[in-house]
Amino acid sequence: MKVVSDINTPADMSAFWMPFTANQQFKAAPRILKSAEGMYYRAEDGRKILDGTAGLWCCNAGHGRREIAEAVSQQIAHLDFAPTFQMGHPLPFELANQLVEIAPKGFGHVFYTNSGSESVDTALKIALAWQRARGQGTRTRLIGRERGYHGVGFGGISVGGIPGNRKWFGSLLGGVDHLPHTLDIARNAFTRGLPDEDVTLADELEKIVFLHDASNIAAVIVEPIAGSTGVIMPPKGYLKRLREICTKHGILLIFDEVITGFGRLGSPFAAQEFDVIPDMITCAKGLTNGAIPMGAVLVQDHIHDDMMAAGKGAIELFHGYTYSGHPVAAAAGLATLEIYRNENLLTRAAELAGYWEEAAHSLKGCKHVKDVRNYGLVAGIELESMADAPGKRAYEVFVRCFEKGALIRVTGDIIALSPPLIIERSEIDDLFTLLQDALQAQD
């Protein structure tokens, strides 16, 4: 049998319809990654590529972690699959116990999914079911936010607010409204950390409640820091004000922490970093260091307990996935959490945040840079768009960086950086030097 690592990219690449990719453009000039270790990918042509994006916001402990590979290998040989519908196996129970240990106080329960998209749809369904279980069945409206990204399930794109993710797919879920986004470059360009206190955007939720009435609203979902749309920060006090309004009106608050979870901001979760406790937290990506698909919804005790009481011994929630709590994914999750504990990776971003901030803001003054935003080990660099081709400038910088040995991520004309949490100061220097060179070479 041919060793998988020896397989080269076939000449005919047409069969794979690639996600979120201009397929014809890519296949005309492909960028192929062949292996990875530590902070680096290895391209098919042998070049080392410094990973400035933790893969896709997910490889927080870096690449090629043997601890995870060994755990996965041992588990798949021991128990490749077991159902968790009316059955069980030990690993998801143990992983849940360890997840609630690092979660904010009051989050005593975990529902497993296979991705961030599934985590969001699961959280939305739990919100609707919980409202019904407590006799509030009219509460069916869901509130998202402009420019929000909550995956690609129908629930996620409905509460999400990125036009390109929504416009192709019809009317989506009914009864959804959106808060305004929190980006204000005119007032907050080149802010270091969170913009100054401003709760007026959060108070827009009161207007939405007035319009629809609280008796019809089930939940509000936001990313603490909006990642995929281009790293948008909440003003100081914004998240606390959302929490106050939701509590006042009996509305659940969901934090989508698929990106911010597992140490990205300097705490295990953004809820702890910003001292704002939602009712549910969605996560994925860093849960298994990207090694095996897995997601989860962390649920506060009061929601779980109310659902148990309403169930009266029958199935309490008619929801789940064939692979919820998959044994191999759970093994990867347990190994990942052990790495995080042993190497203090859930808080390491706080130690590097100052150095990262200085490196990010060194790009101020570079050609076409109109804003830099940062927090923890995440940064967004917004570029002036070409008049006739929005998104083209950042894409050209992305390609140039890859050619020179760095992987960045772009959305529109915004560059997003989110390296593995194992990054060293010298690698931060290398990443921003390569990016600065690419920016300066841009027309």
Side-chain angles (χ1 to χ4, degrees):
M1 184 176 71
K2 191 169 186 178
V3 178
V4 173
S5 60
D6 290 338
I7 295 175
N8 291 318
T9 307
D12 183 359
M13 297 188 291
S14 61
F16 176 27
W17 190 346
M18 299 171 68
F20 278 109
T21 299
N23 278 250
Q24 297 171 77
Q25 182 185 58
F26 176 89
K27 291 166 185 177
R31 295 171 294 277
I32 303 296
L33 303 172
K34 193 69 184 293
S35 64
E37 184 173 3
M39 280 295 304
Y40 293 88
Y41 282 105
R42 184 76 68 174
E44 194 169 43
D45 60 9
R47 293 179 303 114
K48 289 177 66 177
I49 307 295
L50 178 59
D51 184 3
T53 62
L56 199 58
W57 309 87
C58 52
C59 301
N60 290 4
H63 298 280
R65 298 306 301 243
R66 289 176 175 80
E67 306 96 315
I68 301 173
E70 290 171 1
V72 166
S73 177
Q74 292 171 12
Q75 182 57 44
I76 203 167
H78 179 70
L79 178 65
D80 56 351
F81 176 79
T84 53
F85 293 11
Q86 306 291 352
M87 296 294 296
H89 59 93
L91 271 66
F93 295 98
E94 177 58 26
L95 179 58
N97 287 340
Q98 294 191 23
L99 284 170
V100 300
E101 285 181 7
I102 65 172
K105 185 178 180 181
F107 283 84
H109 305 278
V110 178
F111 196 104
Y112 291 111
T113 69
N114 306 291
S115 67
S117 294
E118 289 183 2
S119 293
V120 166
D121 279 16
T122 295
L124 297 178
K125 290 177 74 174
I126 290 174
L128 295 169
W130 177 76
Q131 296 285 12
R132 181 174 178 135
R134 71 189 190 106
Q136 298 288 317
T138 60
R139 289 181 178 262
T140 59
R141 287 192 177 272
L142 302 166
I143 311 301
R145 188 167 60 184
E146 296 169 355
R147 297 190 64 165
Y149 180 75
H150 302 292
V152 294
F154 270 97
I157 58 175
S158 297
V159 295
I162 298 178
N165 292 349
R166 295 166 52 88
K167 67 181 181 180
W168 302 96
F169 307 113
S171 59
L172 309 179
L173 296 184
V176 175
D177 210 335
H178 292 79
L179 289 159
H181 65 75
T182 63
L183 182 62
D184 188 346
I185 293 179
R187 294 176 57 196
N188 299 318
F190 300 100
T191 294
R192 294 170 179 249
L194 302 187
D196 289 338
E197 178 122 9
D198 182 359
V199 299
T200 56
L201 291 173
D203 285 334
E204 292 293 316
L205 180 56
E206 286 282 18
K207 297 180 182 179
I208 292 175
V209 172
F210 178 77
L211 176 64
H212 299 298
D213 195 81
S215 65
N216 293 312
I217 301 174
V220 171
I221 182 168
V222 295
E223 301 160 274
I225 289 177
S228 294
T229 193
V231 187
I232 299 178
M233 306 294 168
K236 295 172 184 175
Y238 171 88
L239 295 173
K240 284 184 180 292
R241 182 62 179 145
L242 284 185
R243 174 71 278 180
E244 291 167 359
I245 296 170
C246 287
T247 300
K248 172 184 173 183
H249 294 293
I251 299 167
L252 293 179
L253 178 60
I254 304 167
F255 277 2
D256 184 340
E257 296 222 36
V258 171
I259 283 175
T260 56
F262 302 105
R264 177 57 50 192
L265 305 183
S267 298
F269 294 96
Q272 294 145 321
E273 180 70 17
F274 298 135
D275 191 26
V276 180
I277 306 303
D279 299 289
M280 285 184 274
I281 293 172
T282 66
C283 60
K285 293 188 184 289
L287 173 55
T288 63
N289 201 46
I292 299 287
M294 191 180 209
V297 181
L298 311 183
V299 180
Q300 280 224 25
D301 294 340
H302 70 95
I303 296 175
H304 173 269
D305 294 348
D306 287 348
M307 292 295 294
M308 295 303 108
K312 296 182 173 58
I315 293 173
E316 297 90 3
L317 181 67
F318 282 82
H319 175 70
Y321 304 95
T322 298
Y323 302 117
S324 292
H326 191 285
V328 181
L334 287 166
T336 297
L337 292 186
E338 185 173 8
I339 293 171
Y340 291 161
R341 285 192 300 270
N342 291 343
E343 300 181 14
N344 298 315
L345 291 183
L346 296 180
T347 55
R348 190 166 188 268
E351 301 169 15
L352 291 172
Y355 197 88
W356 175 262
E357 180 177 278
E358 291 299 324
H361 284 270
S362 71
L363 300 177
K364 183 178 181 180
C366 283
K367 197 183 297 185
H368 306 303
V369 173
K370 63 185 285 188
D371 189 24
V372 175
R373 307 183 279 272
N374 70 281
Y375 197 101
L377 277 179
V378 63
I381 299 95
E382 186 146 352
L383 308 181
E384 297 281 358
S385 297
M386 295 180 181
D388 58 343
K392 182 179 179 181
R393 176 165 283 134
Y395 178 77
E396 290 179 352
V397 172
F398 160 73
V399 172
R400 188 173 289 113
C401 281
F402 182 79
E403 291 171 348
K404 296 297 183 182
L407 179 63
I408 64 172
R409 177 164 170 73
V410 296
T411 175
D413 275 307
I414 304 170
I415 296 164
L417 300 174
S418 58
L421 305 178
I422 63 170
I423 194 170
E424 300 291 347
R425 285 172 170 80
S426 62
E427 292 160 338
I428 293 175
D429 293 342
D430 291 343
L431 176 62
F432 282 97
T433 296
L434 285 165
L435 178 54
Q436 184 175 50
D437 291 346
L439 288 167
Q440 295 297 81
Q442 183 65 29
D443 293 335

